[in-house]
Amino acid sequence: MLLELRISIPLAILCKIFIQIGYFFKSYARKQKWVFFQNTVYKATMMILIFYKSYGLQGPVLDWFASYLRGRVQHVRLSATSSTPSEVLFGVPQGSVLGPIMFLLYTADLLQLVKRHQLTPHAYADDTQIYGSCRPADSAVLSEKLSVCVDTVSAWMAANRLQLNHVKTEVLWCSSSRRQHQVPTDPVRIGNTDVLPVKSVRDLGVCIDADVTMRAYVTTVLRSCFAALRQIRSVRRSLPRHALLTLVRAFIVSKVDYCNSVLAGMSRHLHDRLQSVINAAARLVFSARRNDHITPLLQDLHWLRVPERVKFRLCVLVYWCLHGTAPSYLADDLQLTSTFGTRRQLRSADSPTLVVRSTRRSTLGDRAFPVAAARAWNSLPPVVRDAPSFLSFRSRLKTWLFGLTLA
């Protein structure tokens, strides 16, 4: 029972530990997830040392970072009342352009630390996941490996003036629906805390369930979209159509499209559930009745159906991968037919198509990014694939997908 599913974000391989990261500034009331120890000796010295030792920054560049970090003050203001300004001793200025980049540089060693335990890390901003795979009989071994890895991570964080928040750490075992009875239910030791496995987790706004069917995510999107539709419906008579359409696109369509590439290969039932939101939004824009035919409304709005929206996103990701603007963990999974050794003498080697990997299970393997994205890309006509620019590619792709079902 091995599962590897990568779509727009790398999903869990059987077991996934979410280590939530964050930071806060002294005297600031915003809740975050990691905590800097308040040590007046710390200041910006440790971060500057990391820049020097790990990245080789020195001379004027290092002085520039030092001047950026030191000598900053902060205060809390409520209406016309302000607190006494105090020096920023920890972290980086919140809301700054360099803040996220410097945070990633500061915690970059964490990823290499995880790899030493033969586990795979993935980080996005201040969210980090550790995941690994095993067969059902080896689940206890993987659990112990994860526990040891987290102990090492916790020790590294303590040495770098950070603290792991065990309360917000979650463990998820993933497998196919038929193998759910083999998924362990025993708690996993995270530091001094035993964490029970959960049935679903939320990763960057996407709910991932244990059987990777995406039912939990679809249910969450439906609940949020229909709640927004009810609020928009209450004020629609006071809005012109262009303003109403703007609200629908911002609060409904954007939620349906967010990370929708994870829905590749999803069941038709879940596609129909998501399509019901698009249909309800279209009827709201035109004040149509529930029994009115939806196709003319979608044609007027030039909206794609849900399956075509998923395919659109997959093809856009492939375009980015082939042009060097996508993350390496996506681009490295795709291979052009022309670079595949056994096909160099075939006529197909001259076309910009992708190699479609063979899979053992269509319900899971066909949903993997290298398979679903390659099939979506290969189905495009040459006039779309050979677009001279990204804007031209998007325009031709949407026109072609629109003509498949709604023209």
Side-chain angles (χ1 to χ4, degrees):
M1 180 181 63
L2 293 176
L3 169 63
E4 181 174 359
L5 181 60
R6 288 188 179 185
I7 312 178
S8 65
I9 56 175
L11 303 184
I13 309 177
L14 290 184
C15 182
K16 186 174 187 178
I17 290 187
F18 292 79
I19 302 179
Q20 303 295 343
I21 306 171
Y23 54 92
F24 78 100
F25 296 116
K26 190 178 73 171
S27 302
Y28 195 79
R30 183 176 178 179
K31 183 179 180 182
Q32 295 290 345
K33 302 170 187 175
W34 267 7
V35 179
F36 272 107
F37 288 105
Q38 295 192 9
N39 186 337
T40 55
V41 181
Y42 172 69
K43 293 192 176 183
T45 304
M46 180 168 290
M47 187 172 293
I48 294 172
L49 285 175
I50 290 177
F51 291 161
Y52 174 72
K53 293 181 179 180
S54 300
Y55 302 101
L57 301 182
Q58 54 185 328
V61 176
L62 191 63
D63 294 338
W64 181 78
F65 275 106
S67 65
Y68 180 81
L69 292 170
R70 291 171 176 162
R72 291 187 173 271
V73 296
Q74 62 183 355
H75 67 277
V76 177
R77 183 172 63 184
L78 179 61
S79 299
T81 305
S82 298
S83 64
T84 303
S86 60
E87 186 180 1
V88 177
L89 303 177
F90 319 102
V92 294
Q94 198 162 24
S96 62
V97 176
L98 286 179
I101 298 176
M102 298 176 74
F103 179 78
L104 293 177
L105 293 175
Y106 185 78
T107 59
D109 292 341
L110 177 63
L111 303 182
Q112 299 301 323
L113 192 66
V114 174
K115 292 179 180 178
R116 295 174 190 170
H117 292 268
Q118 286 75 50
L119 296 170
T120 306
H122 185 78
Y124 182 85
D126 62 345
D127 291 315
T128 302
Q129 303 101 41
I130 303 173
Y131 56 100
S133 62
C134 70
R135 298 191 178 277
D138 301 326
S139 59
V141 177
L142 179 59
S143 295
E144 181 60 25
K145 183 187 294 186
L146 288 168
S147 298
V148 173
C149 178
V150 174
D151 290 341
T152 306
V153 169
S154 182
W156 177 88
M157 294 173 68
N160 288 273
R161 303 296 194 271
L162 301 169
Q163 181 177 347
L164 177 64
N165 191 340
H166 300 86
V167 177
K168 293 189 175 181
T169 301
E170 294 179 305
V171 176
L172 174 68
W173 290 92
C174 291
S175 71
S176 62
S177 301
R178 296 182 179 181
R179 298 281 189 174
Q180 282 295 305
H181 66 282
Q182 295 179 305
V183 171
T185 58
D186 298 332
V188 177
R189 182 183 62 83
I190 304 297
N192 298 323
T193 306
D194 291 334
V195 179
L196 289 171
V198 296
K199 293 297 184 183
S200 64
V201 294
R202 191 177 184 91
D203 185 15
L204 300 177
V206 177
C207 292
I208 305 172
D209 34 24
D211 56 2
V212 206
T213 57
M214 307 308 295
R215 290 194 187 94
Y217 178 53
V218 171
T219 301
T220 302
V221 172
L222 289 174
R223 186 186 303 115
S224 176
C225 288
F226 279 118
L229 277 174
R230 287 191 292 269
Q231 294 178 344
I232 296 174
R233 186 177 290 110
S234 64
V235 298
R236 65 176 178 177
R237 298 183 184 277
S238 304
L239 298 173
R241 176 166 293 180
H242 72 275
L244 181 61
L245 184 58
T246 300
L247 287 177
V248 169
R249 286 172 174 167
F251 294 102
I252 309 300
V253 179
S254 63
K255 293 180 180 179
V256 175
D257 289 341
Y258 176 72
C259 288
N260 62 354
S261 54
V262 301
L263 305 178
M266 188 178 58
S267 66
R268 183 174 179 179
H269 170 67
L270 295 181
H271 272 155
D272 292 342
R273 293 185 65 190
L274 278 178
Q275 186 62 44
S276 67
V277 175
I278 298 295
N279 295 347
R283 291 189 174 101
L284 177 63
V285 171
F286 290 104
S287 300
R289 297 188 300 270
R290 187 174 183 178
N291 57 350
D292 289 344
H293 194 50
I294 193 61
T295 300
L297 305 183
L298 296 179
Q299 289 175 336
D300 290 342
L301 293 170
H302 207 69
W303 284 359
L304 298 174
R305 297 184 185 272
V306 171
E308 284 69 39
R309 289 178 176 273
V310 175
K311 190 171 185 178
F312 178 88
R313 178 55 55 186
L314 286 174
C315 293
V316 168
L317 288 175
V318 172
Y319 184 92
W320 288 341
C321 290
L322 297 180
H323 289 78
T325 56
S328 59
Y329 62 82
L330 291 180
D332 293 345
D333 284 339
L334 299 179
Q335 184 178 12
L336 286 170
T337 306
S338 58
T339 62
F340 198 64
T342 59
R343 298 190 180 184
R344 290 179 181 175
Q345 304 302 323
L346 302 179
R347 286 180 296 177
S348 60
D350 297 331
S351 62
T353 57
L354 297 173
V355 177
V356 180
R357 300 184 183 183
S358 59
T359 59
R360 295 179 58 187
R361 296 179 177 88
S362 59
T363 55
L364 292 176
D366 286 357
R367 294 172 56 192
F369 177 76
V371 180
R375 288 176 176 171
W377 180 262
N378 292 346
S379 66
L380 300 181
V383 67
V384 177
R385 290 198 301 258
D386 300 336
S389 66
F390 177 64
L391 293 179
S392 176
F393 172 77
R394 282 174 56 97
S395 177
R396 295 181 186 182
L397 175 61
K398 185 174 181 180
T399 301
W400 179 73
L401 291 173
F402 189 81
L404 290 179
T405 57
L406 294 174

